[in-house]
Amino acid sequence: MSPFGKQGLPFLSARELARVGVVDVGSNSIRMVVFDGAARSPAYFYNEKVMAGLGQGLAATGRLNPEGAVRGMAALTRFAALAEGMGISALTCVATAAVREAEDGPAFHKAVERQTGLKLIVIDGEEEARLSAQGVLLGWPDARGLVCDIGGNSMELAEVEGGRIGRRATSPMGPFRLQQIEPKNLKKHIELIMDGLRDTVGADHERVYLVGGSWRAIARLDMERRAYPMTVLHEYRMTPDDVMATVKWIGDRDIADLRTLTGISTSRIELVPLAMQVLRQLVLTFKPAEIAISSYGIREGLLYEQMSPGIRKRDPLIEAARFTERQMARMPGFGKKLYQFLLPLFGDVAPERDRLIRAACLLHDTSWRAHPDYRAEACFDNVTRANLAALSHPERVFLGLALLHRYKNSRAGSAMTPLFELLSEDEIRDAEVLGKAMRFGAMFSIADPAEAGALTLDRDAGTLALRLTRTGRALMGEVAEARFQTLCKAMGVEGVVS
């Protein structure tokens, strides 16, 4: 049974999900997150972490780290006060490996409730695996593979496919635990545990989703090794060969130098060498074709737990774009009309591209407050670095480039040029066409471009026809005409206005 009760946490309405708080008491860090915004794709309204180290030394002493317990209690006292100040009524607090395994964990649990009023729920390893997997599903609705969540004292695995969670397993392979193993025995120790995990969850997983700060630190170092042009960790992809190359690259360098290079915290970077050995064996044991980094884990899993099936089925990208349009656009609702007006340009486009076109149209006017000289770059930067789910790195750049061209015809000399290498030439061209189509459509009509005219693309004839209504003839001034012809040139067709 779930520790939240037979039915789990109650489903919340879209309105209630607009402001939900979560406190995660882990072995290494204690974090409070308050989610805000679109129900299916919330933003981080508040996010604070304290590296308390509750579980440091637990394997040797069987007790919580005394200093960590003091720091943890101070953090939780502050978080309780913050939640009260924000008026957070839906606040869920969970504790994982350190509190559940320490002999003084129950005493700490009671002290937290007595001193802070927070109702701490201690979850077991399999429940931790389930919630982490749900966090991955929040970010990747179509996730399929093996979720691997590493904390300070444990590592959990869970299968995901078709929106469901399958076999789960937990293990004592957090870096704090591994610090107690003799270095000469460590490799064999990790290998034996990993073999047991493979027996439990199976080995046929083409993709592994990595959850946890230690994994993200390794991914950040992999980016540095590869001179990768983007530093967004969510949905960053690595191959097994990348992992092995980075393991060697890290091993050949001084940890302090790596910290200076990347800005990773001291407490986190110190755990990287042990986490690195676990990741190496994970790849050797499970042999995935691809490794993906998830910034979403147990905290997002707790939010997902409170979503109804209907809300879970929504597209996180489109939900976020709609919410942003409502909050920031000059004319909320115009994005949908713009999409419908431009749809004839794209024909039988694949669903994966169609959702990017929809999102771009919804976001096309959300950076209007930026200075005109920097608006194009602001659009690009906002999208490529935004907290958006269900969006790969190439898709981020495609969307950003389309929005750049919504405000600017040329991308020459852009500071964002290094990111364009994540796209093919065809993708760059398609993003430019989409951007210039929005650039025309957005100023063609104030209320609804369909009231001013209709577009018809004839690829065989090589023409793009714009048939104007009476209203459209009045609106088709020289600026609109110039933007229409610029679009036609980008598409390689002749523009015909009638």
Side-chain angles (χ1 to χ4, degrees):
M1 182 186 295
S2 167
F4 307 116
K6 187 174 182 180
Q7 302 300 323
L9 288 173
F11 292 145
L12 301 179
S13 67
R15 181 181 297 274
E16 290 171 318
L17 284 167
R19 187 66 63 83
V20 173
V22 170
V23 175
D24 175 13
V25 182
S27 298
N28 196 19
S29 66
I30 298 176
R31 188 189 294 261
M32 175 180 172
V33 174
V34 177
F35 299 100
D36 180 80
R40 184 59 182 82
S41 185
Y44 294 91
F45 176 78
Y46 191 84
N47 190 345
E48 183 175 331
K49 174 181 67 176
V50 174
M51 302 297 287
L54 268 179
Q56 192 159 21
L58 172 63
T61 67
R63 300 178 64 83
L64 297 173
N65 180 280
E67 181 184 346
V70 172
R71 296 184 67 195
M73 185 64 76
L76 291 168
T77 300
R78 170 176 163 77
F79 292 165
L82 286 171
E84 182 178 2
M86 293 179 200
I88 304 298
S89 57
L91 182 66
T92 306
C93 309
V94 299
T96 55
V99 177
R100 73 171 174 255
E101 294 173 6
E103 63 182 63
D104 55 344
F108 179 78
H109 182 186
K110 290 179 181 177
V112 167
E113 292 197 0
R114 183 174 60 251
Q115 182 167 323
T116 71
L118 296 177
K119 302 299 181 183
L120 203 57
I121 302 170
V122 182
I123 59 175
D124 64 24
E126 288 201 9
E127 182 67 3
E128 188 175 352
R130 185 183 73 85
L131 291 173
S132 292
Q134 286 193 162
V136 169
L137 288 174
L138 185 142
W140 276 282
D142 59 350
R144 181 185 180 193
L146 189 67
V147 176
C148 178
D149 182 358
I150 194 168
N153 271 286
S154 67
M155 186 185 81
E156 282 70 41
L157 299 177
E159 290 180 299
V160 288
E161 182 175 1
R164 297 181 179 276
I165 300 163
R167 292 173 290 183
R168 293 170 279 163
T170 185
S171 69
M173 273 210 292
F176 288 159
R177 287 272 181 186
L178 298 178
Q179 286 173 342
Q180 310 305 317
I181 307 300
E182 287 287 336
K184 65 179 181 180
N185 300 326
L186 187 60
K187 183 178 178 182
K188 188 65 176 176
H189 176 80
I190 293 172
E191 185 178 344
L192 287 173
I193 294 176
M194 204 71 75
D195 286 346
L197 292 172
R198 179 187 57 200
D199 293 341
T200 301
V201 300
D204 187 20
H205 305 287
E206 289 194 4
R207 180 180 292 166
V208 170
Y209 300 86
L210 299 181
V211 176
S214 293
W215 295 149
R216 291 193 296 274
I218 293 173
R220 179 66 186 85
L221 292 166
D222 185 70
M223 288 176 168
E224 196 68 32
R225 178 189 66 82
R226 294 170 59 190
Y228 190 73
M230 184 181 287
T231 55
V232 174
L233 287 166
H234 186 63
E235 291 225 19
Y236 180 62
R237 310 293 176 92
M238 297 182 287
T239 66
D241 287 345
D242 288 330
V243 170
M244 294 307 178
T246 297
V247 165
K248 184 178 185 306
W249 185 82
I250 294 172
D252 291 341
R253 280 159 178 77
D254 182 77
I255 285 294
D257 291 342
L258 293 178
R259 179 186 178 279
T260 302
L261 192 65
T262 59
I264 298 170
S265 69
T266 300
S267 58
R268 183 68 71 191
I269 201 78
E270 287 174 350
L271 302 180
V272 162
L274 288 169
M276 184 177 67
Q277 293 190 54
V278 176
L279 182 57
R280 173 185 174 276
Q281 191 57 50
L282 181 77
V283 169
L284 291 174
T285 300
F286 288 95
K287 298 179 174 59
E290 184 178 60
I291 299 96
I293 299 297
S294 174
S295 293
Y296 299 166
I298 190 171
R299 293 172 291 275
E300 291 74 18
L302 285 163
L303 178 65
Y304 191 84
E305 179 85 357
Q306 298 173 80
M307 291 180 182
S308 69
I311 290 178
R312 290 177 183 177
K313 289 178 181 177
R314 297 179 186 177
D315 185 325
L317 172 62
I318 301 303
E319 284 289 290
R322 283 174 177 156
F323 180 81
T324 303
E325 185 194 35
R326 287 197 302 271
Q327 296 291 104
M328 301 178 66
R330 284 173 287 193
M331 293 175 289
F334 186 84
K336 181 178 180 180
K337 297 172 183 177
L338 178 62
Y339 164 78
Q340 292 170 337
F341 174 69
L342 298 178
L343 202 54
L345 302 182
F346 304 106
D348 297 326
V349 67
E352 295 78 12
R353 178 59 57 81
D354 179 71
R355 65 194 292 269
L356 296 181
I357 297 170
R358 285 176 181 269
C361 289
L362 291 167
L363 295 170
H364 86 279
D365 189 48
T366 55
S367 295
W368 69 273
R369 289 183 180 274
H371 189 283
D373 292 348
Y374 305 106
R375 200 171 285 158
E377 300 288 346
C379 278
F380 187 96
D381 197 51
N382 286 346
V383 170
T384 53
R385 302 180 192 279
N387 175 47
L388 294 171
L391 196 65
S392 69
H393 283 193
E395 288 173 332
R396 282 178 180 270
V397 176
F398 180 94
L399 192 53
L401 184 55
L403 290 167
L404 183 152
H405 280 297
R406 181 264 181 263
Y407 283 111
K408 192 175 182 181
N409 278 326
S410 174
R411 59 182 174 275
S414 170
M416 310 301 179
T417 298
L419 294 177
F420 301 161
E421 69 184 57
L422 297 182
L423 301 180
S424 67
E425 288 299 319
D426 286 347
E427 289 169 329
I428 289 174
R429 184 196 63 242
D430 290 350
E432 180 179 350
V433 167
L434 173 57
K436 290 181 175 180
M438 292 189 294
R439 184 168 170 79
F440 163 64
M443 60 83 63
F444 179 45
S445 168
I446 294 297
D448 183 352
E451 294 177 355
L455 294 167
T456 304
L457 176 64
D458 188 333
R459 279 293 182 189
D460 293 334
T463 61
L464 176 62
L466 173 61
R467 291 178 174 81
L468 299 173
T469 65
R470 182 177 179 180
T471 300
R473 292 189 190 96
L475 291 169
M476 197 63 176
E478 62 180 68
V479 176
E481 174 69 29
R483 291 190 179 183
F484 177 67
Q485 294 301 333
T486 298
L487 167 62
C488 293
K489 183 178 179 181
M491 295 179 68
V493 297
E494 179 186 356
V496 179
V497 181
S498 63

